[in-house]
Amino acid sequence: MNSLTKDSTYVLNTYKRLPIVVKKAKGSYIFDQQGKKYLDMYAGIAVNSVGHSNIKVRRAIEAQLKKHMHLSNYFVSETQNELAKKLIDYSFASKVFFTNSGTEAIEASLKLARKYGKTISDDKFEVIALHESFHGRTMGGLSLTGQPKYQEAFAPLLPGVNHIEKNDIEALKNAISSKTCAIFLEMVQGESGIHVLNDAFLNEIVRLKETYQFLIIADEVQTGLMRTGKMFAYQHTTIVPDVLALAKSLGGGLPLGAMLVSEALENVLKPGDHGSTFGGNPVSCAAGLATFEILSSAGFQNALLSKSNMLFKGLNEIKQSSPSIKDIRGKGMMIGIEIDGDAELLKNRALKAGLLLNVTNKNVIRLLPPLTISTHEIELFLRIFKQILDMK
Ligand SMILES: Cc1ncc(COP(=O)(O)O)c(C=O)c1O
């Protein structure tokens, strides 16, 4: 039995697998068992920000493996401490809770918001989230996710979640009341096709917070850690969150998530209120620390901005001569290309041509390349992308 047949025989069929079997992955490339090389333009869905098998991350993992792997959260962890300090130094936060995934970071944030609400009043438990948002697949995360296609089969979901249209100030004003304990926001909605929240909407949230004392919870699972060109996407805006959820690239390829909280909220959750057996695993945190060191260097950040400009410029040039591109949007290295037609067809053509593209929400190609992508690799991507668009 080959690996693809074994997979369909033994593994629950919840994922749409690609028809290739990977032998190895390095930098911006994935190699299949036949030795064919693919330029990876979605980097493990925004996980492999510093490229596949980054040597600094591997060395940090190996060094930690020699010390210990799992101990349990009864023990303090040096790698956890160091990574928490870095996240605090670069953000609004004053404390960090580690998880294994994005949905768990959201779940922790939701629990914190509920408990915060209770400290004010028993009926302050309602939450606002946005249509077309994506916050994960646990029942809490799914209840926040504003996409019926993911929710309907699992109803009834958590009570008290109100979904409103993004960037709709009237809907926002109507939905918020003294019962609202939190609003969850992706500054750039990723899974639904790269939609950027606008400043007027975000400013209004900041203004309403004065009156209604709800928490602003930034879901930066996808946008966080330089993906949008700044360490955190909220740093492009006037928003200073109270809570921020991270995951994806945080562990440099190993499972790791985090909830960052502001000083005012440090003591909402007490010992025993929340926990995780694996959350903040020392090896994942060692990988995270090495990743963070790369992402936070000034040279890396400057290069990232010019590479993002190059990618946007190249795509906009292609758009001039390609009527099938309806829109190009996003920030930094989080880019959506909306296609008039079948984006899956383009994805399949790309695969044949040695290019890995991710399609989300049917007609949007979502680019999330490794942030270490070179200018040469960007040129290669643009060349192949134009070719597959032009194919008859
Ligand atoms: C914005 C956002 N939040 C939450 C999640 C859930 O993260 P995970 O799949 O690690 O549970 C995702 C995953 O794509 C995401 O993009």
Side-chain angles (χ1 to χ4, degrees):
M1 238 193 257
N2 70 25
S3 301
L4 291 169
T5 316
K6 264 193 196 163
D7 179 78
S8 60
T9 308
Y10 301 124
V11 179
L12 202 66
N13 179 24
T14 63
Y15 300 109
K16 208 154 89 201
R17 303 287 204 202
L18 288 166
I20 59 171
V21 180
V22 175
K23 187 168 175 206
K24 65 172 187 174
K26 184 96 192 85
S28 305
Y29 293 98
I30 284 180
F31 300 83
D32 74 9
Q33 280 184 333
Q34 281 68 44
K36 184 169 170 179
K37 187 175 170 184
Y38 301 85
L39 178 63
D40 181 2
M41 289 303 283
Y42 59 97
I45 325 180
V47 168
N48 304 103
S49 278
V50 294
H52 292 281
S53 300
N54 184 289
I55 186 68
K56 290 185 178 155
V57 177
R58 274 173 47 193
R59 285 199 186 121
I61 292 171
E62 282 158 13
Q64 181 57 38
L65 284 177
K66 287 185 190 147
K67 295 184 197 161
H68 56 81
M69 290 194 265
H70 174 82
L71 292 178
S72 91
N73 279 317
Y74 283 120
F75 297 89
V76 296
S77 155
E78 282 172 30
T79 57
Q80 243 184 53
N81 290 346
E82 288 305 311
L83 183 56
K85 182 172 184 316
K86 291 270 181 211
L87 294 171
I88 289 165
D89 287 349
Y90 280 81
S91 73
F92 69 92
S94 80
K95 286 273 172 20
V96 178
F97 175 85
F98 285 106
T99 69
N100 306 286
S101 66
T103 199
E104 288 171 76
I106 290 295
E107 210 65 38
S109 309
L110 191 55
K111 282 178 71 178
L112 186 142
R114 279 280 186 93
K115 193 163 179 211
Y116 158 82
K118 270 213 161 68
T119 60
I120 299 174
S121 133
D122 269 351
D123 65 356
K124 196 174 178 65
F125 65 88
E126 290 186 2
V127 170
I128 313 279
L130 304 185
H131 289 304
E132 295 194 285
S133 58
F134 188 84
H135 298 290
R137 309 260 190 179
T138 51
M139 288 307 271
L142 189 63
S143 302
L144 295 168
T145 292
Q147 300 193 53
K149 69 178 180 207
Y150 293 128
Q151 296 172 309
E152 273 160 4
F154 307 102
L157 299 174
L158 215 60
V161 181
N162 303 314
H163 287 101
I164 60 166
E165 217 44 64
K166 64 177 156 296
N167 300 331
D168 184 339
I169 291 178
E170 275 318 299
L172 176 71
K173 285 186 187 157
N174 292 336
I176 282 179
S177 74
S178 57
K179 290 185 181 170
T180 310
C181 69
I183 181 163
F184 280 75
L185 303 168
E186 291 162 89
M187 302 299 158
V188 182
Q189 292 183 329
E191 204 273 346
S192 64
I194 314 290
H195 303 285
V196 184
L197 299 188
N198 72 31
D199 288 341
F201 184 68
L202 296 175
N203 293 343
E204 188 61 23
I205 293 172
V206 175
R207 207 183 61 74
L208 288 167
K209 188 186 162 188
E210 296 276 305
T211 314
Y212 295 107
Q213 289 182 281
F214 54 85
L215 303 181
I216 300 179
I217 303 188
D219 181 343
E220 297 235 21
V221 167
Q222 197 166 139
T223 55
L225 305 172
M226 296 306 299
R227 173 57 57 191
T228 65
K230 289 200 188 269
M231 189 52 81
F232 301 103
Y234 80 83
Q235 292 165 338
H236 293 283
T237 76
T238 54
I239 293 256
V240 179
D242 301 287
V243 178
L244 185 145
L246 278 180
K248 292 214 183 259
S249 67
L250 181 62
L254 294 188
L256 187 64
M259 169 176 71
L260 278 54
V261 305
S262 69
E263 193 173 359
L265 299 175
E266 270 183 21
N267 297 312
V268 174
L269 295 179
K270 307 272 188 238
D273 273 348
H274 197 52
S276 161
T277 297
F278 286 116
N281 172 276
V283 185
S284 298
C285 285
L289 201 52
T291 304
F292 201 93
E293 261 150 30
I294 299 169
L295 297 177
S296 55
S297 98
F300 180 90
Q301 296 186 353
N302 292 336
L304 180 62
L305 287 183
S306 67
K307 288 186 293 187
S308 162
N309 290 339
M310 176 182 173
L311 194 44
F312 271 104
K313 184 166 173 278
L315 283 171
N316 280 310
E317 276 164 19
I318 293 176
K319 182 171 180 277
Q320 305 290 315
S321 59
S322 299
S324 59
I325 298 184
K326 273 170 74 180
D327 192 21
I328 294 167
R329 51 185 184 250
K331 266 191 172 33
M333 287 289 188
M334 188 168 177
I335 302 173
I337 309 167
E338 191 173 326
I339 301 293
D340 184 12
D342 189 356
E344 283 291 326
L345 182 79
L346 286 179
K347 181 178 113 177
N348 295 336
R349 281 182 191 163
L351 192 68
K352 282 201 189 113
L355 177 67
L356 290 171
L357 294 182
N358 174 249
V359 173
T360 193
N361 213 0
K362 293 200 182 99
N363 65 343
V364 181
I365 292 172
R366 174 173 51 164
L367 300 181
L368 301 162
L371 305 181
T372 47
I373 191 169
S374 67
T375 52
H376 162 74
E377 288 160 352
I378 292 175
E379 277 163 11
L380 178 64
F381 158 72
L382 292 168
R383 203 163 51 239
I384 303 177
F385 189 59
K386 177 144 179 45
Q387 276 165 12
I388 59 167
L389 274 172
D390 289 347
M391 272 180 193
K392 292 282 172 282

